[in-house]
Amino acid sequence: MTSFLKKFQILKKKEMESSSSLAPANRGQWDSREGHFSGFQPPSVQDPANQRTSQLLPLLVKPSTSPAAADAKKKAQTQPLVLPELVQRPTNQKAPPATNKVDDKYGRHPAVEISLPKLFSKEKPKKLSTPVKKKPPEPLVPIYPELSDEQFKFLWDPRKLHRGRSIRESVDMMDEREILDTILIYLNHSVQRPSGVDPRQNRRKSEEIGSSQKTLVQQKSKQSSQEKILLYKYFGVKLRDSRNKDVVSEYLHILLGFAVQDEEEREGVSEAIRIIAFCHLSEILCALRDFGHLMPLRKTLQREPTAEEIKNISERHICTTLILCYGQAAMGAKPEDMLALVDFMVAEILYHYRGNNKDEIMKKTFMRAVIMISKALQLTKKFDIHFPHKSELVVCIIEVLEEEPQVSFSVPIIHQAMVTVTCMTPLKPPLDSEVRSELVNKSVKKVFSLPSVQVSKLRAVNPIHLIQSQEFYQQTINACQNMLIGLLNEVPSLESLQDILIHINSWIESPKICERERAVRSTSHLLKFVSEHLDFDTTPEFSLLGQLVAVLALHIADSVKEIGQIAAEAMYHLHYIIMSRMAKEIEKKHKNKKGNVVKWLREDFFVPGPAVFYNNIAKVAQAFGEHLNSNQITDVVLKAIQNLTHEDKSVSQAAGILLSSFLEECGMDMEDLPMIIKEIYNRLPEISDPITKEETLKAVCSLASKRLNGVVDILLECSVECDENVAEIWKALVADPYANMKLMRPLLKRLQDEDPLSDVSYRRHSKSIMPLAATNALCLILSLPEASDALQNKFSHLLLALVTQIYFVLGAGRRGSKRSSLTDAPIRPNALSTTIQALKNLIACAGYIKEYSILGMQGCWDMLSAPDTYFDGLFLLARTLFTFTKVHLKMTFKQANAYLRHADVKERTVGMAFFTELLYHPEIGIFFMKQDILDVLREWMAQTCPLMRVFSIRGLGHLLQHPLEDETLEPLLPPLINCAFDPDRNIAKESIKTLQYMFQHLDVEEFGSAAIGLLPLLLKYLSDDDPELRRASIVLFGMLLKGVKENQRNSVTENVFKSLVPLLIQLVDHSTKEVARGCLCSCANFLNWTDMPHDIFDYELHDRISTTYLNICIYIMRRYKPMLPGMLAQMVEFLKSRNPSYREAAALLIACNAQYMKPDVVSTPDVETVFLALRELQGDCDASVTNAAVLSIEEVYRHCGYRINPQLVPNQLMIMLRNSMSKPPFEARH
């Protein structure tokens, strides 16, 4: 007994409460009786016999008040064992001693004497003194022609047959005991002592029978088994016709006492019981009960049987006989009698079956008995018949199935078990869903796992055995289908169908062809049955529909053609069921429950027939898509995804088509979109079949065409790094025309860390991985040739977004940003390189090939990769990108303007940088109002943010390089001049650069005086290391000299003199020599050097710069010799410059002015200072500087050597200097 039985204690109580065959007064007794079936022990345990007898009394015993019956009992030759509970006596009469002995022997107590209802309406005939004749057959008694007296003429002694009379008449004249004894002699040569009968009585009867007919027994001992069974049945006919209940009871005990170990004997006894039961059902049940008392296991319910008791084979044979006899008794009894006692008989069968160690014979006998009782109940033709203990019987059958070995080649027990259940299903009550589920599970497992026909051919011993085994295989499979139909018909509803199919579905996916074929065929059989019976309740939710559609659709393309055809037929029936379920709604408004118009009506369905789905899986989605809810759609899709990696290519390809078609049809109705995409992503690398993979990617594209934003988000979450699996999906989306058009918008939104469904920009979330994931995806997508079509009008958006992403990754520009830098959080090491690569791919994809090369050569990518040079790289990018083509210039400027309104400071900063740098292109002035731009720039210059001021000044400088006609620039001059004084070097630099462009539009003579205060500042920048700042300062210095007023001339003159040496030094700098020459000319004009040659500053007139320097120094020293000490101090400072050309130029200038270093002009300490500075350059790393220093030392020593302390001149230098004195002086050589 398995633990499964324990689940049905409540079920049995419920069944007992609903049973209408028991009187309310006896409910308590039946409930206590049921305790031993479920393992429950009542507080006070009675003897089983007494307990059953007390239940049976109201039904079996009739009042017996006739004194004739008592007389007949006394006159009987052999008194059979009759239990006191089954005989009614007066209340004051005590039980006979013999009866009490029997009760004591089996541990029973005397029954309580009560008045009992009648079972039969006829009264017993009085016992006559003459031999009792058997009663003539009643009109309704079954007549068996094969059991007539003439057929058994050999039984009778010719001497006892009367002449002139027929055998029937002669037998009728014989004593009924003599007739019965004669038959028994032929049945068994030695009558065995029956169980439960007084041994002395049995011994006496055996001796009597043996002495008279010993010879006859020996002659008939070899009769065939069939003849023997007929003889048993003949005995049953004779005993059935007996009027004497005592005789019937006596001979029933004798009959049951035969040795029933032999199957033929047991079969014959049961056949006789079936015939006798028509008239003597009560006596049979009493005899069977007494016969069952022979088993020691029934002495108590309070202990488990020992191993020795379980191994007792005789007890098992007795129980087998009892079970069979109960079934035969039910089959042969009158309907009204059987209905009254069927509960008792079923309970007895269960009791005997469960209390023994079961063998195959007992199992078969048990199921046979259940079948007979089922047929007997159905033959009553009464409405609403209940089969008592139905669930418990089914549980026992489940145990039979469990105990059968898996994949058994011998299937009779499995076959009989399912036939037994099939016979029970027409009777009420319907099985509990849990019992039904367990039954179906065990049954299909045993049947579907049977070996294939090919295996049975190999195992067959001979051709006849082969044919028989194959036929029985098919019969077993058919029996399983019939059982399932019967179970389904018990409760005709979709819920019941679902409970059954849930156990079959898994077998449809079996790798074995035979198992798969059986499962698909059974499913089709069930669905066809439901589709043909419109009385089914289709209102319950069919939650299994999605899985069922999926597994059937997958095997429409099965490698076995027959399975595919059966699956298509099953799908046809399933669609018929669904359409029938929705028929009323469709007829009314042609809409399904979701409110969608049904695309595939019945007219489209019925024309082609079941073949409509064969090799056409896409039609499945069209047929069922409109009728599935979101959960069922998810079931279909998940099942399809699961089978994408199926080892059978036909199934995997079918899964791909099913997935693609359902996502195409029902993609908008799916609720578990993230799970679906992630499952596809996980399965994709395992798909080996290229066709399947193609269909899978097509499915994702179909889904993206309906829910692109969701698909993009999930793909980004699946793989931030954009691995190979998700890369395949991105490539498929780019290749898809629809997705290609729409793909960039959600990626752009996620790159900006915004919701794709929102048009509002907001502050980024510092912990989001979406920007990084979108960057990786874009890096891949933009490298594909098809991506150029996807860009369309998104180039400018992506350009600024990627540049902004670089800014965030770098963590640059922390000032003014309220958002924590991304460098504070863990950043993937390849994030920066991937972002820059994505930007490069974008530029190349948009067709900027020449610009791409220039940017690479100018080091733009390296600039963008470093925080210190990031904005320099951005400026270079904005200037260079639109050098040759202006297609995206206007849109990029608009996008930069939009960035100015973003909430995030960094995004605004990048937008401002692009906005101002794009003013470098003159086309901006054509597209937009210049005055509006100027007003914006003026407003920014007043901001406190340094970057905003730098960008605004830089943008103004770009704009001032273009033609300006009607724009007002005067208001911009004061803030620009103020910015030039800013301590921030970048602001000052951009302001000085912009002022030179400003005075190209404004008259310097009119407005230059406002910037005269900048001259001391510019003087510092004339020798700055930054070439741009140095150049701009030189240009602006020269320009401002033109705007000096008379009242400012004296203060400016000193700055002009201080500028001469730096400007002369700049004549050797290739980047500034031209502007330096112009500035020197401006200085000469300011100082009114009218007599100076106009080409004196033209360095190109002489081969060497030293000549130019000499000419200039001659002219200056003639007029401003007192200024020489200050100029020498400036030259000494340039000797310390890091620029070698500056050091060389300073040394040459000193050499040119050495002749003017007279004591009245230059002091001795100043001369020594100059000498020491030049001496330090003797070992300069630059040879030209060393040569210039030596030349200058020689000239200084030539003109001022007598003033230099000899200790300052090393010996070697002194020797060199003395030797050089023979050379002509420097001015003579030039």
Side-chain angles (χ1 to χ4, degrees):
M1 192 71 62
T2 62
S3 60
F4 180 70
L5 185 58
K6 297 179 181 179
K7 300 179 182 178
F8 301 99
Q9 296 179 10
I10 299 176
L11 178 65
K12 290 178 288 187
K13 283 187 178 181
K14 187 187 299 184
E15 184 177 334
M16 294 303 301
E17 291 174 359
S18 62
S19 177
S20 60
S21 63
L22 296 178
N26 297 328
R27 292 279 174 88
Q29 296 178 349
W30 278 106
D31 291 341
S32 63
R33 166 64 192 271
E34 287 300 321
H36 75 277
F37 290 113
S38 61
F40 172 75
Q41 299 294 340
S44 60
V45 180
Q46 297 181 1
D47 177 73
N50 285 339
Q51 195 173 5
R52 286 201 314 283
T53 303
S54 63
Q55 299 161 5
L56 192 60
L57 281 174
L59 302 175
L60 294 183
V61 183
K62 64 178 182 178
S64 179
T65 57
S66 174
D71 295 340
K73 181 177 180 181
K74 294 178 181 179
K75 295 179 180 179
Q77 295 179 0
T78 304
Q79 183 178 359
L81 176 62
V82 180
L83 295 180
E85 305 91 294
L86 300 179
V87 181
Q88 182 179 3
R89 297 181 177 85
T91 57
N92 58 354
Q93 186 177 354
K94 297 183 179 179
T99 303
N100 288 337
K101 291 180 180 179
V102 175
D103 291 341
D104 294 339
K105 177 180 178 181
Y106 293 101
R108 297 190 300 269
H109 303 286
V112 179
E113 313 294 343
I114 57 175
S115 178
L116 302 172
K118 294 182 179 181
L119 182 61
F120 304 105
S121 60
K122 297 182 294 182
E123 295 183 356
K124 286 185 179 181
K126 296 182 179 180
K127 183 76 173 183
L128 302 177
S129 58
T130 58
V132 179
K133 303 294 183 178
K134 65 177 181 179
K135 66 178 180 180
E138 298 179 5
L140 297 179
V141 174
I143 299 175
Y144 305 95
E146 71 278 9
L147 301 179
S148 62
D149 294 332
E150 287 76 6
Q151 299 295 331
F152 298 93
K153 180 178 179 181
F154 61 88
L155 292 172
W156 315 116
D157 188 350
R159 295 173 296 180
K160 295 186 178 182
L161 298 178
H162 300 280
R163 293 183 179 181
R165 295 182 180 180
S166 65
I167 296 177
R168 179 187 178 95
E169 292 174 346
S170 300
V171 173
D172 289 341
M173 296 297 296
M174 297 172 61
D175 183 76
E176 64 180 359
R177 290 182 179 275
E178 182 182 357
I179 297 173
L180 296 172
D181 290 341
T182 302
I183 298 174
L184 289 176
I185 292 298
Y186 275 87
L187 287 173
N188 197 341
H189 69 278
S190 178
V191 179
Q192 303 295 327
R193 179 163 60 98
S195 303
V197 182
D198 187 358
R200 292 176 295 178
Q201 294 180 355
N202 288 338
R203 189 184 304 113
R204 183 170 62 253
K205 184 168 290 294
S206 298
E207 292 175 355
E208 180 181 350
I209 295 174
S211 60
S212 59
Q213 302 293 341
K214 185 175 181 180
T215 305
L216 190 58
V217 170
Q218 293 175 352
Q219 293 176 357
K220 300 299 181 179
S221 60
K222 295 182 180 181
Q223 59 184 337
S224 65
S225 61
Q226 186 63 31
E227 292 175 348
K228 198 169 188 178
I229 292 176
L230 287 175
L231 196 56
Y232 271 112
K233 295 170 72 174
Y234 183 59
F235 177 84
V237 170
K238 295 304 178 182
L239 192 58
R240 178 197 65 184
D241 295 339
S242 175
R243 295 173 178 271
N244 192 329
K245 299 292 184 179
D246 294 334
V247 172
V248 173
S249 178
E250 175 186 352
Y251 279 90
L252 281 173
H253 283 78
I254 296 173
L255 180 65
L256 293 172
F258 277 24
V260 292
Q261 288 85 348
D262 185 77
E263 187 175 357
E264 293 180 2
E265 302 290 345
R266 184 165 52 248
E267 187 67 27
V269 171
S270 66
E271 289 291 339
I273 291 294
R274 180 174 65 85
I275 296 173
I276 300 168
F278 188 82
C279 296
H280 304 291
L281 181 60
S282 299
E283 287 76 8
I284 289 175
L285 297 183
C286 290
L288 292 175
R289 192 234 22 217
D290 293 338
F291 186 65
H293 284 178
L294 295 175
M295 292 186 299
L297 292 180
R298 301 188 63 174
K299 290 181 180 179
T300 178
L301 295 176
Q302 292 180 325
R303 65 178 179 85
E304 292 292 331
T306 64
E308 183 178 355
E309 291 171 335
I310 293 177
K311 293 179 180 179
N312 193 333
I313 300 176
S314 62
E315 294 176 2
R316 187 163 60 241
H317 290 317
I318 292 173
C319 287
T320 304
T321 303
L322 288 170
I323 291 171
L324 183 58
C325 288
Y326 278 119
Q328 291 283 20
M331 194 68 182
K334 296 177 183 177
E336 58 272 18
D337 295 348
M338 186 271 301
L339 288 175
L341 298 172
V342 66
D343 198 313
F344 171 78
M345 289 188 284
V346 174
E348 286 294 300
I349 290 174
L350 281 169
Y351 180 83
H352 290 294
Y353 180 75
R354 288 175 173 170
N356 285 273
N357 186 20
K358 299 170 254 329
D359 60 0
E360 183 177 351
I361 296 176
M362 177 176 279
K363 293 176 183 178
K364 290 182 178 180
T365 304
F366 166 74
M367 291 185 287
R368 181 182 172 189
V370 174
I371 292 174
M372 288 188 287
I373 295 177
S374 302
K375 291 182 178 179
L377 288 171
Q378 295 179 51
L379 289 174
T380 59
K381 298 182 180 180
K382 292 185 178 294
F383 179 73
D384 200 23
I385 301 176
H386 281 250
F387 197 132
H389 308 285
K390 181 178 178 180
S391 294
E392 294 177 74
L393 293 170
V394 173
V395 170
C396 292
I397 295 174
I398 293 173
E399 293 175 359
V400 171
L401 292 171
E402 280 183 332
E403 293 168 1
E404 282 300 297
Q406 188 72 21
V407 196
S408 174
F409 187 73
S410 178
V411 294
I413 292 183
I414 299 176
H415 177 272
Q416 189 173 359
M418 290 180 294
V419 171
T420 303
V421 176
T422 305
C423 292
M424 297 170 66
T425 53
L427 302 170
K428 295 184 178 181
L431 291 176
D432 180 81
S433 60
E434 190 173 359
V435 179
R436 179 176 61 236
S437 178
E438 186 71 11
L439 173 64
V440 174
N441 182 33
K442 300 298 181 184
S443 300
V444 299
K445 182 178 181 181
K446 294 297 180 182
V447 174
F448 292 171
S449 61
L450 289 173
S452 63
V453 176
Q454 287 75 11
V455 175
S456 65
K457 289 181 180 179
L458 296 175
R459 294 183 180 180
V461 179
N462 52 60
I464 298 177
H465 181 267
L466 172 60
I467 296 173
Q468 292 176 348
S469 62
Q470 291 180 0
E471 290 178 353
F472 201 72
Y473 258 49
Q474 190 57 45
Q475 290 175 11
T476 303
I477 296 172
N478 294 340
C480 181
Q481 294 179 355
N482 293 337
M483 182 195 73
L484 297 177
I485 293 297
L487 292 172
L488 184 60
N489 207 25
E490 277 191 334
V491 184
S493 67
L494 288 181
E495 186 177 0
S496 301
L497 176 63
Q498 181 172 270
D499 290 344
I500 295 174
L501 290 178
I502 198 171
H503 299 289
I504 301 178
N505 274 4
S506 59
W507 291 93
I508 297 179
E509 302 176 89
S510 172
K512 296 182 179 180
I513 296 176
C514 61
E515 296 177 355
R516 199 163 64 243
E517 188 269 339
R518 292 163 187 166
V520 174
R521 191 178 297 277
S522 297
T523 302
S524 178
H525 192 66
L526 287 168
L527 295 175
K528 181 180 180 182
F529 177 80
V530 176
S531 66
E532 292 174 350
H533 291 75
L534 301 180
D535 56 339
F536 264 68
D537 181 13
T538 58
T539 55
E541 186 65 27
F542 196 9
S543 60
L544 191 66
L545 180 59
Q547 297 183 21
L548 186 60
V549 169
V551 294
L552 290 176
L554 290 173
H555 291 281
I556 286 176
D558 198 281
S559 56
V560 180
K561 182 179 179 180
E562 184 180 2
I563 295 178
Q565 293 173 342
I566 299 172
E569 184 178 352
M571 190 71 76
Y572 173 83
H573 297 312
L574 179 60
H575 187 268
Y576 188 96
I577 295 169
I578 301 303
M579 295 298 289
S580 299
R581 182 183 181 187
M582 302 181 62
K584 294 182 180 180
E585 187 175 1
I586 292 176
E587 290 173 0
K588 289 180 180 179
K589 51 185 178 182
H590 292 281
K591 289 185 179 181
N592 59 14
K593 61 184 179 181
K594 294 183 289 187
N596 301 327
V597 176
V598 177
K599 299 178 182 177
W600 215 46
L601 300 178
R602 278 196 253 174
E603 300 82 51
D604 304 321
F605 177 72
F606 285 114
V607 173
V612 64
F613 294 117
Y614 185 61
N615 287 334
N616 192 358
I617 298 177
K619 196 72 171 178
V620 175
Q622 299 175 12
F624 288 90
E626 288 292 320
H627 310 303
L628 302 181
N629 58 36
S630 58
N631 292 333
Q632 293 168 343
I633 293 172
T634 302
D635 290 341
V636 174
V637 173
L638 288 178
K639 180 61 71 174
I641 295 173
Q642 180 182 351
N643 284 272
L644 290 174
T645 56
H646 200 281
E647 57 185 7
D648 188 346
K649 286 186 178 181
S650 60
V651 176
S652 65
Q653 293 175 6
I657 298 173
L658 181 66
L659 178 64
S660 175
S661 57
F662 256 93
L663 291 183
E664 172 70 25
E665 189 74 20
C666 315
M668 290 298 295
D669 300 325
M670 291 179 56
E671 295 180 354
D672 298 322
L673 180 63
M675 178 176 60
I676 299 301
I677 297 298
K678 289 178 181 178
E679 286 294 325
I680 294 176
Y681 164 76
N682 293 329
R683 291 275 180 176
L684 197 60
E686 302 175 9
I687 302 175
S688 57
D689 182 58
I691 297 177
T692 304
K693 180 169 287 190
E694 181 182 353
E695 288 293 336
T696 305
L697 296 174
K698 179 182 175 183
V700 179
C701 294
S702 299
L703 189 56
S705 66
K706 298 173 176 58
R707 304 171 67 176
L708 181 61
N709 293 333
V711 172
V712 169
D713 282 355
I714 299 163
L715 289 176
L716 293 177
E717 292 175 1
C718 286
S719 176
V720 177
E721 298 292 346
C722 193
D723 59 18
E724 294 181 1
N725 302 338
V726 80
E728 286 191 84
I729 302 178
W730 287 124
K731 292 176 182 178
L733 291 175
V734 173
D736 181 73
Y738 179 85
N740 187 300
M741 295 172 56
K742 306 292 184 180
L743 186 60
M744 287 303 172
R745 185 181 185 277
L747 282 173
L748 176 63
K749 285 289 186 179
R750 286 310 184 188
L751 177 62
Q752 298 170 331
D753 201 12
E754 299 175 2
D755 185 357
L757 300 178
S758 174
D759 294 328
V760 180
S761 299
Y762 55 87
R763 189 182 301 274
R764 294 193 181 200
H765 191 278
S766 60
K767 301 298 182 182
S768 176
I769 62 170
M770 281 299 182
L772 185 58
T775 302
N776 292 327
L778 284 169
C779 185
L780 169 72
I781 292 171
L782 294 173
S783 65
L784 303 175
E786 301 88 349
S788 58
D789 298 331
L791 283 179
Q792 296 183 0
N793 59 346
K794 296 297 181 183
F795 171 80
S796 301
H797 299 75
L798 288 170
L799 177 66
L800 268 75
L802 287 172
V803 173
T804 303
Q805 179 63 15
I806 296 173
Y807 192 34
F808 275 103
V809 173
L810 286 173
R814 293 183 177 85
R815 290 181 298 175
S817 177
K818 297 180 181 179
R819 178 180 176 273
S820 61
S821 171
L822 285 181
T823 54
D824 299 337
I827 295 297
R828 303 175 190 270
N830 60 343
L832 179 60
S833 60
T834 302
T835 310
I836 292 178
Q837 185 61 47
L839 178 62
K840 294 164 69 175
N841 292 344
L842 172 67
I843 293 172
C845 183
Y848 293 95
I849 305 300
K850 187 183 297 185
E851 294 84 346
Y852 178 88
S853 301
I854 295 174
L855 289 170
M857 289 186 294
Q858 293 181 348
C860 178
W861 317 127
D862 295 333
M863 294 180 188
L864 290 172
S865 301
D868 296 337
T869 59
Y870 168 78
F871 283 109
D872 294 331
L874 187 154
F875 296 151
L876 178 60
L877 176 66
R879 292 195 308 269
T880 308
L881 191 59
F882 305 106
T883 302
F884 304 104
T885 177
K886 315 294 181 179
V887 176
H888 298 106
L889 177 61
K890 181 178 179 180
M891 183 58 66
T892 304
F893 188 79
K894 283 185 175 181
Q895 186 63 21
N897 185 36
Y899 264 58
L900 301 179
R901 293 181 290 274
H902 283 201
D904 191 271
V905 175
K906 289 189 176 183
E907 292 179 353
R908 291 202 310 271
T909 302
V910 173
M912 192 178 299
F914 259 101
F915 182 89
T916 55
E917 197 65 22
L918 289 176
L919 295 175
Y920 171 84
H921 302 281
E923 290 79 10
I924 295 296
I926 300 173
F927 300 146
F928 303 96
M929 295 294 294
K930 296 179 183 178
Q931 188 61 53
D932 294 340
I933 298 173
L934 290 173
D935 293 341
V936 172
L937 296 177
R938 179 186 176 187
E939 180 183 351
W940 288 353
M941 281 191 287
Q943 299 296 323
T944 58
C945 177
L947 280 176
M948 292 184 66
R949 299 174 70 186
V950 170
F951 295 155
S952 62
I953 297 169
R954 186 179 179 86
L956 178 60
H958 291 320
L959 197 59
L960 290 173
Q961 296 180 58
H962 309 321
L964 297 174
E965 299 175 357
D966 301 328
E967 291 73 21
T968 303
L969 301 178
E970 293 84 350
L972 292 167
L973 185 59
L976 187 60
I977 294 174
N978 292 334
C979 290
F981 286 104
D982 196 284
D984 190 312
R985 180 181 176 84
N986 293 324
I987 297 176
K989 174 184 174 180
E990 294 298 334
S991 301
I992 293 172
K993 289 169 58 178
T994 304
L995 280 170
Q996 63 173 326
Y997 303 129
M998 176 69 76
F999 286 113
Q1000 291 177 3
H1001 295 275
L1002 297 177
D1003 186 1
V1004 67
E1005 295 181 358
E1006 180 180 357
F1007 298 99
S1009 59
I1012 293 301
L1014 290 174
L1015 290 178
L1017 179 66
L1018 296 175
L1019 188 60
K1020 294 192 306 181
Y1021 293 145
L1022 293 181
S1023 57
D1024 195 86
D1025 293 335
D1026 187 347
E1028 286 187 338
L1029 178 59
R1030 189 171 64 248
R1031 178 186 176 85
S1033 299
I1034 294 172
V1035 173
L1036 183 60
F1037 191 92
M1039 295 176 70
L1040 291 178
L1041 292 179
K1042 298 176 183 180
V1044 177
K1045 304 298 182 183
E1046 286 298 328
N1047 58 351
Q1048 300 172 331
R1049 179 171 291 272
N1050 292 332
S1051 60
V1052 173
T1053 300
E1054 183 180 358
N1055 293 323
V1056 173
F1057 283 129
K1058 291 181 179 180
S1059 67
L1060 292 177
V1061 173
L1063 292 174
L1064 290 173
I1065 296 294
Q1066 295 302 316
L1067 291 177
V1068 298
D1069 192 329
H1070 294 286
S1071 62
T1072 57
K1073 60 183 179 182
E1074 187 63 31
V1075 294
R1077 182 176 64 177
C1079 186
L1080 285 171
C1081 292
S1082 297
C1083 291
N1085 291 334
F1086 176 80
L1087 296 174
N1088 294 322
W1089 292 351
T1090 55
D1091 56 343
M1092 184 183 69
H1094 66 279
D1095 57 354
I1096 193 171
F1097 300 114
D1098 191 355
Y1099 53 83
E1100 294 178 352
L1101 295 176
H1102 308 284
D1103 296 335
R1104 293 179 292 184
I1105 191 64
S1106 58
T1107 304
T1108 303
Y1109 281 164
L1110 182 61
N1111 294 334
I1112 295 174
C1113 289
I1114 291 173
Y1115 183 82
I1116 293 176
M1117 287 300 105
R1118 288 177 184 174
R1119 303 186 62 173
Y1120 304 105
K1121 189 178 295 185
M1123 296 179 58
L1124 182 57
M1127 296 175 66
L1128 286 174
Q1130 288 179 302
M1131 295 174 190
V1132 169
E1133 289 298 321
F1134 276 103
L1135 290 176
K1136 303 174 184 178
S1137 174
R1138 289 179 296 180
N1139 192 329
S1141 61
Y1142 290 176
R1143 296 196 301 272
E1144 180 185 3
L1148 292 176
L1149 281 174
I1150 292 174
C1152 293
N1153 289 285
Q1155 59 181 324
Y1156 304 109
M1157 297 170 59
K1158 302 301 181 182
D1160 57 339
V1161 178
V1162 181
S1163 65
T1164 299
D1166 291 341
V1167 172
E1168 291 179 348
T1169 301
V1170 172
F1171 182 80
L1172 291 174
L1174 290 171
R1175 194 185 71 177
E1176 293 294 330
L1177 295 180
Q1178 278 185 306
D1180 197 277
C1181 58
D1182 192 295
S1184 61
V1185 174
T1186 301
N1187 295 333
V1190 170
L1191 176 64
S1192 184
I1193 290 174
E1194 291 176 353
E1195 292 303 314
V1196 171
Y1197 191 80
R1198 184 190 304 276
H1199 296 287
C1200 305
Y1202 64 97
R1203 301 170 58 189
I1204 300 174
N1205 189 349
Q1207 296 180 356
L1208 299 178
V1209 183
N1211 294 330
Q1212 293 181 352
L1213 178 62
M1214 183 62 71
I1215 296 171
M1216 182 192 71
L1217 291 174
R1218 290 175 179 176
N1219 295 332
S1220 65
M1221 290 299 104
S1222 58
K1223 298 178 181 180
F1226 176 78
E1227 59 273 12
R1229 296 196 297 261
H1230 293 77

